[in-house]
Amino acid sequence: MAVNITTDLRVVRNIGIMAHIDAGKTTTTERILFYTGITYKIGEVHDGGATMDWMEQEQERGITITSAATTCWWKDHQINIIDTPGHVDFTAEVERSLRVLDGAVAVFDGVAGVEPQTMTVWRQANKYSVPRMCFVNKLDRTGADFFRCVDMMVERLNSTPLVLQLPIGAESDFLGVVDLVGMRALTWRGETTMGEDYEIEEIPAELAEQAAEYREKFLETLSEADDEIMVKYLDGEDFTVEELEAAIRRATLADKVNPVLCGTAFKNKGVQPLLDAVVKYLPSPIDVEGITGHAVNDEDKPVVRKPSDDEPFSGLAYKIAADPHLGKLTYVRVYSGKLEAGATVTNSVNGRKERIGKVYQMHANKREEIASVGAGQIVAVMGLKDTKTGHTLCDPQNQVVLESMTFPAPVIEVA
Ligand code: GDP
């Protein structure tokens, strides 16, 4: 049965995961879906094996990773993972996915560091000021070097990494991370299994000095990005974890810093803290001020649509995919108003009327038919005939074009 989805926008995170090929985007996404699958099943009898089974099934059906948007839940937050193509040849597709997401996680190979495809996507994300976090993956690999990777983020991406974690141990002895916000250690000892949670421990004595040094660097970088922290920092006052987390969020949303975390997705270390950070530091749809499109037939007349259910409906079709079970699906980000199954909307780019067929929210292990969704959501729509990627769907009485005909703007190469 179709349900109405009206979620408090503050708990929604529309995120993309970007990476150079082989850095571990697929593995990280799979782990995220695994761990969020566990929380999704709260209250049910659950064992890791059963969850693994559905993951395997879904992989066979090609839904888990290839879906253009996958919705999952983590600690009362709805995370919509938007597929961000890794291949640089698809510039328009990458840019379009960067427009429909509100925040991103860049995954790095701890051995290779910052690689060319990441540099390209990073520059594209700069253009839209997409708030970004970094996850230095593969720290279990021989030759992995967290600190070199952080240096490369400065040199190659010209970013401001805000290091929130330090690795404990290296390569096959990689044990966990020092959490520089809470000044504690999160460890996974020995061989880890899927679903295993970390232990909270004291920072190991041999890392105490390094942790103190990096805590100071963390506070310095944060205070340069945030006035409230600066004032207290200069007065030599202490901070609570809540104060620091709020400041990290403000600085990330303002695109002034990029929080950096680390781990090994493959060995299931670091993914739960990464999910916590996504919820804490990346924006919700209402942290974004609304989208500016233009009037139909007049590119120079801006029209702003706010992320509210009370505004007229507007949405951007950003991807068309062939689903093995449902046929043609058009993925739409709703920017304002409500998208309702059965409603008639206007495609403001080609001037045609379209009838919205069934509407689905896509999960890793199921799809949910919904009657209507509000602003800020990302759904798959069946039944659209003349809508292509980049087209706007809107209320026939209140039309707007969200994506200009000249999209994408040229990428400016930075020397
Ligand atoms: P993608 O191309 O970015 O999606 O990368 P994948 O997730 O497919 O990973 C590429 C390869 O690296 C695969 O063989 C993974 O098993 C492996 N891999 C991913 N994460 C890790 C990790 O944390 N440690 C190690 N040692 N290997 C990893």
Side-chain angles (χ1 to χ4, degrees):
M1 207 189 70
V3 293
N4 288 304
I5 300 225
T6 39
T7 309
D8 177 353
L9 285 184
R10 285 171 302 181
V11 305
V12 176
R13 301 286 178 275
N14 292 315
I15 66 158
I17 299 177
M18 48 170 78
H20 187 92
I21 187 153
D22 254 13
K25 179 172 110 170
T26 311
T27 311
T28 306
T29 310
E30 277 177 2
R31 298 307 189 250
I32 287 176
L33 295 177
F34 176 84
Y35 288 109
T36 57
I38 291 175
T39 45
Y40 202 69
K41 290 180 174 208
I42 275 176
E44 289 177 26
V45 179
H46 167 74
D47 72 85
T51 307
M52 207 48 214
D53 286 347
W54 69 248
M55 285 219 31
E56 277 162 16
Q57 266 174 31
E58 295 301 320
Q59 271 162 20
E60 276 167 26
R61 284 164 46 193
I63 300 280
T64 312
I65 307 302
T66 55
S67 180
T70 307
T71 298
C72 55
W73 287 83
W74 180 251
K75 297 186 180 170
D76 295 329
H77 284 71
Q78 182 194 341
I79 303 176
N80 296 321
I81 302 175
I82 293 121
D83 185 41
T84 315
H87 204 289
V88 283
D89 286 351
F90 306 133
T91 304
E93 231 183 283
V94 174
E95 295 227 357
R96 196 164 278 130
S97 66
L98 289 173
R99 279 199 79 180
V100 299
L101 51 78
D102 298 319
V105 176
V107 175
F108 299 85
D109 178 332
V111 180
V114 177
E115 298 174 271
Q117 282 172 18
T118 307
M119 291 166 69
T120 307
V121 183
W122 193 274
R123 276 202 298 270
Q124 288 168 304
N126 280 343
K127 210 167 70 181
Y128 299 111
S129 302
V130 175
R132 268 153 289 172
M133 292 186 342
C134 303
F135 181 67
V136 181
N137 188 33
K138 299 198 180 186
L139 286 187
D140 60 314
R141 279 188 64 201
T142 309
D145 188 338
F146 173 74
F147 299 100
R148 192 176 70 99
C149 192
V150 172
D151 288 344
M152 287 171 91
M153 289 172 195
V154 178
E155 289 155 21
R156 295 201 172 172
L157 302 176
N158 206 13
S159 70
T160 309
L162 180 68
V163 175
L164 302 187
Q165 295 179 340
L166 300 178
I168 303 175
E171 301 177 354
S172 57
D173 292 327
F174 174 70
L175 272 187
V177 297
V178 171
D179 162 17
L180 294 169
V181 182
M183 286 307 266
R184 57 194 192 152
L186 314 180
T187 59
W188 296 259
R189 295 195 178 275
E191 277 302 306
T192 38
T193 55
M194 292 286 269
E196 192 171 330
D197 209 352
Y198 51 76
E199 303 286 330
I200 297 175
E201 296 176 4
E202 300 255 314
I203 295 173
E206 65 276 17
L207 287 181
E209 206 176 307
Q210 191 189 36
E213 179 194 334
Y214 274 84
R215 164 84 172 191
E216 209 50 37
K217 283 189 187 177
F218 154 71
L219 289 175
E220 243 172 64
T221 308
L222 189 59
S223 62
E224 275 161 24
D226 191 87
D227 291 344
E228 272 181 47
I229 297 293
M230 176 64 98
V231 172
K232 282 187 90 172
Y233 181 64
L234 291 178
D235 288 346
E237 286 181 44
D238 284 339
F239 296 97
T240 64
V241 168
E242 290 72 26
E243 267 175 320
L244 291 174
E245 287 179 349
I248 297 167
R249 182 173 173 78
R250 286 193 298 269
T252 308
L253 263 51
D255 198 18
K256 288 185 176 168
V257 298
N258 303 109
V260 182
L261 292 89
C262 61
T264 155
F266 189 61
K267 298 275 175 74
N268 312 312
K269 298 177 186 177
V271 176
Q272 299 106 312
L274 176 66
L275 278 164
D276 287 341
V278 163
V279 161
K280 281 182 197 155
Y281 307 134
L282 289 183
S284 79
I286 35 173
D287 292 315
V288 182
E289 278 177 3
I291 185 166
T292 305
H294 62 78
V296 180
N297 298 329
D298 188 355
E299 283 217 19
D300 296 326
K301 191 174 168 204
V303 177
V304 178
R305 284 290 149 83
K306 297 230 156 35
S308 156
D309 291 354
D310 301 330
E311 292 253 311
F313 164 67
S314 70
L316 184 73
Y318 74 94
K319 173 105 184 170
I320 305 214
D323 181 89
H325 301 274
L326 304 175
K328 183 175 147 188
L329 287 179
T330 308
Y331 285 82
V332 176
R333 158 130 192 187
V334 180
Y335 280 98
S336 60
K338 279 190 170 171
L339 173 67
E340 290 173 356
T344 300
V345 298
T346 295
N347 178 327
S348 55
V349 175
N350 62 17
R352 304 254 172 86
K353 288 261 163 65
E354 284 271 27
R355 188 173 175 279
I356 304 287
K358 288 186 174 172
V359 178
Y360 294 98
Q361 200 154 53
M362 307 295 273
H363 300 269
N365 57 340
K366 63 173 186 179
R367 62 184 75 80
E368 192 170 14
E369 190 184 333
I370 47 192
S372 79
V373 281
Q377 288 287 2
I378 295 191
V379 287
V381 177
M382 250 170 92
L384 299 183
K385 293 197 174 71
D386 296 315
T387 297
K388 297 194 164 57
T389 53
H391 283 183
T392 302
L393 298 170
C394 57
D395 176 352
Q397 266 74 53
N398 292 279
Q399 295 193 24
V400 58
V401 178
L402 296 177
E403 187 175 295
S404 108
M405 294 304 283
T406 51
F407 180 88
V411 177
I412 298 148
E413 294 296 323
V414 181

